Amino acid sequence: MTHNPVPGPESLLALVFPSDPQVGAGGHSAFFVLSRVEEDDPARPEEDFPKPRYRSNIWHSEGGEARQLTRGEGRDTSPRPSPDGGTLAFVREERGGKGQLFLLPLGGGEARRVTRFKGPVTDVSWSPDGRFLAFLSLGDDEDKRDERGEARVITRPRYRFNGRDWLPESPARLWLYDVAADELREWHVPEVEVTSYTWWPDSRGVLLVSSETEDDAAQWRQEAYTLLLDGTRTRLTRWNSAIVSATPHPDGERFVLVGRPEGKGSPEDAHLFLVERDGAWRRLDEGWDRPVGNVVGGDCHVGAFPERPVWLDAETLLFPSTVGGSCGLFRLGLDGTVTPHDHREDGVISAFTARADAVALIRERADRFPEVELNGTQVTDLHARLPFPARAHTRVCFTNDLGEGEGWVLLPDGEGRVPALLSIHGGPHTAYGHGFTHEFQLLAARGYGVCYGNPRGSVGYGQAWSSDIHGRWGSVDMDDLLAFFDVCLTTFPQLDGDRAGVMGGSYGGYMTNWITAHTTHFRAAVTDRSICNLISFGGTSDIGMRFWDDELGLNFHRQEDALRLWDMSPLKYVENVRTPTLIVHSVLDHRCPVEQAEQWYAALRLHGVPVRFVRFPGEDHELSRSGRPDRRMGRLEEYLGWLDGHLLAGEEERPHGLGHHTSHS
């Protein structure tokens, strides 16, 4: 790949994104999805309004160079090889249509279409005996109320959700397809959405996760159930809390779930719990003070990234875990012993599937684009498509009363002084680290020093670190961020603290708003999909009914809590803001609704703060990571335009002076 000396947002178009690695039968092959970007119709490009889109196909490797397996003109995803290795089930989304189930004979021949629903097919899974395929779908249900101009009557606690917009009146059904008989039937009609399921080892049915009522679902109270082939459903747990996934033990009686026990909210790290046949449970990873799953951020994750734990044998569970800024695979014994299986402290395994001793995964580093591996052998070379050289980052440490925190600095080439950016991650219970971030690489290539760290509230450093901001957003987290940034400026004289910018998305956007309302330390700010008013967020976010209870022990509908929520709202302090601010938000963001950006914009305008508000149509909370390519590029163009204008301008153009922050511990 020829490197552009001054890359721009269009560099995104050169990338190919891997996802959904699946181990084939026998463990000697892998199937995965590669997504590229091209025009909506290459034969008829629209000169005035080009619309680059993701195009996805399924690829296959037996340990050597990968080859393309499907050639659909839309998006081919969800590769699921049959247990006998003879057939690949997958989902094909043809131009203008919804994803449908297809079967491809791997010995040769054309793909055969199985479903012709009006709605999409998702979550395809083979039974272990290879007789059945299960999947979720609304079938032919369609919601045309908006097109017909009809009113919506809302009586349920959940009615919109990020990435899906309006939720259907009835949840997706579970369907069962008898492959040999070519017979499809509706298997299970749930009253509440099925969030995950997996087959029992003997193929008698599935272990599924759902909720007893819609109110339970809105409050993140879930249970595990068994669903037999005859349609009989039996509740297995009295969990009454969040369940990420459930995996049957090889004995077909017990199972392990990933989740949080009752009474534990979102600050609690997810862990592994073994559930016995009678519903009794115990935490398996009792001595492991790190979260299960990959929680390290990156912006090159287009598609599905499986991470469900896998039993390698009756005594050993393989699971991913975030450790500091890394994520690796670990083995867990029934005695609770955790040992590394594949963990590199400078890398991230962002997806995996496994069987026995075979593993297909996606691995990345801060300076290495995500690649697919099969049994330790890299089978893709996607990094070669990067149109500019990737830079390695340098670790920086800061301290607080809990101990040592960490972050990283990504510097541009050269020795001259450069503007310094403080980037703040979302969550708040996620982490920055060794994931590949195109945005950071682009900013560094354009001459910015990017500083990104993990203040208290971040995961991967133990439960105490993650929980320390419970009930006090905008206090010790701000202290950590500014202390980290000060260390960066001191450690790297190349960073120009007089040309400093602050930026972040989601919770990072909240902290950007909070910091600019409490210090004049920064010359420019970019607040993306942010929060400014904790009270209105509670009634408008798709998670608002529960989120503040978990995070702060407060809620917007209680009078005595509302005043405390207002105290933690950046909007209360907007009169103090002097920092020119770029606001970026997506219209269909239901996680941090666009009304938050509208309030922040109006308040900044009223106080005479230079502000620019950019609204993206048709996008949700995931714009920066998997949004439509042209809109992702538009977002990056806005970032660069704003930062260049305020941080590369001469000192005489500087609108505000620097100040020092005050501790809010």
Side-chain angles (χ1 to χ4, degrees):
M1 175 67 66
T2 301
H3 291 149
N4 184 343
V6 186
E10 76 284 347
S11 58
L12 190 73
L13 301 180
L15 307 181
V16 173
F17 305 95
S19 63
D20 210 354
Q22 299 287 324
V23 178
H28 304 298
S29 63
F31 300 83
F32 51 92
V33 177
L34 295 183
S35 299
R36 66 195 184 280
V37 179
E38 64 180 40
E39 294 295 340
D40 192 26
D41 187 347
R44 295 185 299 169
E46 298 181 40
E47 294 183 2
D48 294 332
F49 303 103
K51 300 183 181 67
R53 300 290 193 275
Y54 297 112
R55 297 286 177 249
S56 303
N57 293 111
I58 296 168
W59 289 63
H60 175 243
S61 171
E62 294 181 347
E65 183 178 355
R67 64 182 180 89
Q68 187 172 338
L69 199 59
T70 68
R71 300 185 181 275
E73 295 183 355
R75 299 189 73 170
D76 292 343
T77 61
S78 304
R80 299 295 181 265
S82 61
D84 66 3
T87 306
L88 182 74
F90 69 98
V91 172
R92 170 166 288 173
E93 182 181 312
E94 297 177 318
R95 294 184 186 278
K98 305 293 186 181
Q100 302 297 312
L101 177 63
F102 280 73
L103 294 180
L104 176 68
L106 292 174
E110 297 296 320
R112 174 173 65 88
R113 182 169 178 170
V114 175
T115 61
R116 297 185 180 276
F117 292 140
K118 294 179 180 178
V121 166
T122 63
D123 296 300
V124 178
S125 180
W126 287 93
S127 62
D129 62 8
R131 179 182 174 188
F132 298 107
L133 276 165
F135 60 86
L136 289 166
S137 179
L138 290 168
D140 288 329
D141 291 356
E142 284 189 301
D143 188 344
K144 296 288 188 180
R145 282 174 291 182
D146 286 354
E147 291 88 335
R148 292 194 294 260
E150 296 179 7
R152 288 182 177 270
V153 178
I154 295 165
T155 59
R156 297 173 299 155
R158 300 186 309 160
Y159 54 93
R160 298 187 92 170
F161 202 78
N162 187 69
R164 299 166 63 185
D165 203 14
W166 294 109
L167 294 178
E169 288 297 311
S170 299
R173 281 93 72 190
L174 196 58
W175 299 75
L176 193 65
Y177 177 61
D178 187 321
V179 178
D182 190 24
E183 293 179 353
L184 178 65
R185 67 180 173 91
E186 196 174 72
W187 185 12
H188 177 54
V189 182
E191 294 184 4
V192 184
E193 181 180 27
V194 173
T195 56
S196 72
Y197 78 92
T198 188
W199 284 89
W200 288 103
D202 61 3
S203 300
R204 70 179 185 271
V206 295
L207 173 65
L208 61 85
V209 175
S210 185
S211 298
E212 286 289 282
T213 68
E214 285 286 353
D215 284 318
D216 287 330
Q219 294 293 327
W220 306 344
R221 296 190 293 258
Q222 295 173 300
E223 306 294 343
Y225 306 81
T226 188
L227 176 70
L228 301 180
L229 290 174
D230 64 6
T232 302
R233 192 180 89 158
T234 304
R235 180 174 171 176
L236 301 178
T237 60
R238 294 292 184 269
W239 189 250
N240 205 35
S241 186
I243 298 176
V244 178
S245 66
T247 304
H249 186 272
D251 65 13
E253 299 292 338
R254 300 173 289 174
F255 61 92
V256 68
L257 66 81
V258 178
R260 304 176 180 92
E262 184 175 0
K264 302 290 187 180
S266 53
E268 181 78 8
D269 289 343
H271 287 290
L272 295 156
F273 299 85
L274 183 66
V275 182
E276 302 290 347
R277 183 176 183 178
D278 61 1
W281 56 268
R282 64 183 175 93
R283 181 175 155 186
L284 266 184
D285 60 343
E286 189 65 50
W288 185 247
D289 193 17
R290 296 294 185 269
V292 174
N294 173 40
V295 205
V296 180
D299 62 1
C300 293
H301 298 167
V302 176
F305 282 74
E307 57 177 26
R308 183 195 299 271
V310 174
W311 290 99
L312 299 180
D313 54 45
E315 300 293 325
T316 311
L317 187 73
L318 186 67
F319 72 98
S321 184
T322 298
V323 179
S326 68
C327 181
L329 297 180
F330 296 82
R331 291 172 177 253
L332 172 65
L334 288 178
D335 63 356
T337 302
V338 175
T339 55
H341 175 81
D342 185 351
H343 175 228
R344 302 177 187 175
E345 294 183 351
D346 66 344
V348 171
I349 293 176
S350 50
F352 91 102
T353 58
R355 60 175 70 201
D357 291 326
V359 180
L361 58 81
I362 295 176
R363 192 191 309 272
E364 58 190 282
R365 285 196 327 239
D367 62 346
R368 189 73 186 174
F369 196 79
E371 304 281 7
V372 180
E373 294 183 11
L374 172 63
N375 299 329
T377 299
Q378 183 178 313
V379 299
T380 57
D381 188 17
L382 305 175
H383 185 84
R385 300 185 61 89
L386 194 66
F388 53 82
R391 291 162 170 79
H393 61 191
T394 303
R395 184 173 182 261
V396 174
C397 296
F398 64 96
T399 58
N400 57 35
D401 56 359
L402 288 184
E404 185 177 81
E406 69 174 344
W408 297 267
V409 176
L410 197 63
L411 290 172
D413 294 333
E415 297 180 358
R417 302 201 77 197
V418 298
L421 303 178
L422 172 63
S423 182
I424 309 170
H425 67 64
H429 308 298
T430 60
Y432 276 147
H434 304 289
F436 185 88
T437 305
H438 169 264
E439 178 182 312
F440 292 172
Q441 291 285 344
L442 175 61
L443 288 168
R446 293 288 290 254
Y448 291 93
V450 188
C451 309
Y452 47 103
N454 290 326
R456 276 170 283 188
S458 307
V459 301
Y461 302 92
Q463 190 60 61
W465 189 274
S466 182
S467 298
D468 202 47
I469 64 169
H470 181 264
R472 52 177 185 164
W473 281 25
S475 60
V476 295
D477 43 1
M478 173 172 156
D479 292 340
D480 283 359
L481 287 163
L482 296 184
F484 161 69
F485 192 57
D486 286 344
V487 173
C488 293
L489 296 178
T490 301
T491 306
F492 298 94
Q494 185 180 358
L495 296 174
D496 187 352
D498 288 334
R499 290 185 293 155
V502 60
M503 63 186 196
S506 195
Y507 165 80
Y510 164 87
M511 284 306 304
T512 298
N513 297 341
W514 182 269
I515 286 173
T516 58
H518 288 80
T519 178
T520 54
H521 197 84
F522 297 92
R523 188 189 292 192
V526 181
T527 185
D528 201 329
R529 58 193 186 280
S530 75
I531 302 170
C532 71
N533 184 340
L534 274 59
I535 298 175
S536 64
F537 173 91
T540 55
S541 170
D542 60 356
I543 60 173
M545 294 182 72
R546 170 69 184 265
F547 192 64
W548 293 142
D549 275 317
D550 276 1
E551 285 294 327
L552 305 174
L554 307 169
N555 217 323
F556 74 104
H557 65 280
R558 295 189 287 264
Q559 183 176 359
E560 62 183 36
D561 290 355
L563 294 176
R564 295 176 62 191
L565 288 171
W566 181 240
D567 287 341
M568 281 185 273
S569 297
L571 193 59
K572 177 179 178 179
Y573 312 97
V574 71
E575 293 172 281
N576 301 326
V577 178
R578 300 291 182 270
T579 308
T581 302
L582 171 66
I583 301 171
V584 176
H585 222 102
S586 297
V587 173
L588 295 181
D589 189 338
H590 298 312
R591 187 60 37 84
C592 297
V594 71
E595 58 91 16
Q596 295 284 315
E598 292 166 343
Q599 291 187 66
W600 196 238
Y601 173 74
L604 293 180
R605 287 289 302 182
L606 287 170
H607 288 287
V609 178
V611 60
R612 178 178 174 89
F613 181 16
V614 183
R615 298 164 58 107
F616 284 95
E619 296 294 339
D620 55 46
H621 201 63
E622 300 304 310
L623 168 62
S624 66
R625 296 176 280 251
S626 57
R628 206 173 80 177
D630 56 330
R631 294 172 182 154
R632 288 182 67 177
M633 289 189 296
R635 171 184 170 275
L636 292 171
E637 288 168 358
E638 292 288 345
Y639 269 53
L640 289 170
W642 189 258
L643 295 172
D644 288 354
H646 289 278
L647 301 184
L648 297 183
E651 285 298 307
E652 69 279 1
E653 301 178 43
R654 184 178 177 182
H656 303 291
L658 283 177
H660 297 285
H661 77 277
T662 301
S663 174
H664 291 268
S665 298

